[in-house]
Amino acid sequence: AHAPRARWRVGDRELLAQLALEGAVVVDNARLRASERFEATHDSLTGLLNRRAFSTQLRDAVASAAKTGEPVAALLLDLDRFKEVNDHLGHHRGDELLVAVAERLRRCLQPTDALARLGGDEFALLLRRHGTPERAEAVAAEVSALLDDVFEIDDCLLHVDASIGIACSPLH
């Protein structure tokens, strides 16, 4: 513009600096709250939902299924002989194995499904849409097949088996 530039007064500069500082504090607080919400609902090792968040989602899905008639299914998965991995190879490798298992389990999910680490070597999948016994059994077979492939953790080749339980609503 060809108009002369307005000059900042000392008070205006201080006010602008204070506004910028307060804005930065608001943004930092929002990020902190978001981080706290994530940490409250997710497992710190795998980034999956935690037991509390999964229980809430399961309860909501079962209540919704009771209203809509759309079946939901829950698969509970426990790694067999996982204690041996921790005992013989150390907890560090056990943690790496849990992260690798979580990554493979994510492959079985549809966008409406949920996956959680309940604790230790226990995982859970929630099949919200089309949670029929047939789909639950197909997902369990897919999980078993994904776990059949060997895991390589720090140059150690590990074979993992899992026990899988299925519950369907409203059937069960």
Side-chain angles (χ1 to χ4, degrees):
H2 295 288
R5 293 186 189 190
R7 299 198 183 246
W8 290 93
R9 294 185 309 229
V10 173
D12 291 342
R13 288 181 186 162
E14 290 173 359
L15 179 61
L16 184 59
Q18 185 64 32
L19 286 172
L21 179 62
E22 289 180 17
V25 168
V26 167
V27 169
D28 285 347
N29 283 340
R31 285 183 185 141
L32 180 60
R33 282 192 301 276
S35 175
E36 288 171 345
R37 278 192 301 273
F38 184 86
E39 289 174 9
T41 58
H42 290 76
D43 174 57
S44 61
L45 179 64
T46 62
L48 300 177
L49 292 174
N50 64 18
R51 178 185 302 270
R52 182 182 310 151
F54 183 81
S55 295
T56 299
Q57 289 197 18
L58 178 61
R59 188 174 27 255
D60 293 347
V62 169
S64 177
K67 293 177 187 173
T68 65
E70 178 76 27
V72 297
L75 286 77
L76 300 179
L77 180 141
D78 185 80
L79 301 181
D80 298 337
R81 297 177 310 281
F82 179 74
K83 185 179 181 316
E84 294 175 17
V85 173
N86 278 338
D87 289 349
H88 295 4
L89 302 175
H91 290 276
H92 174 71
R93 286 194 178 111
D95 287 350
E96 288 184 34
L97 178 60
L98 292 172
V99 170
V101 167
E103 287 302 317
R104 288 194 190 176
L105 292 176
R106 281 185 175 101
R107 297 181 201 165
C108 300
L109 299 179
Q110 292 183 357
T112 57
D113 298 338
L115 174 61
R117 178 173 170 231
L118 303 180
D121 63 338
E122 298 174 352
F123 294 86
L125 290 92
L126 174 61
L127 310 180
R128 284 193 186 93
R129 288 216 179 132
H130 312 294
T132 62
E134 295 79 18
R135 176 163 179 245
E137 289 176 12
V139 170
E142 184 180 358
V143 166
S144 293
L146 285 172
L147 296 179
D148 278 345
D149 291 335
V150 70
F151 288 85
E152 185 173 345
I153 307 294
D154 289 341
D155 296 328
C156 294
L157 300 179
L158 303 174
H159 296 276
V160 175
D161 293 316
S163 299
I164 303 173
I166 299 172
C168 299
S169 176
L171 183 62
H172 301 126

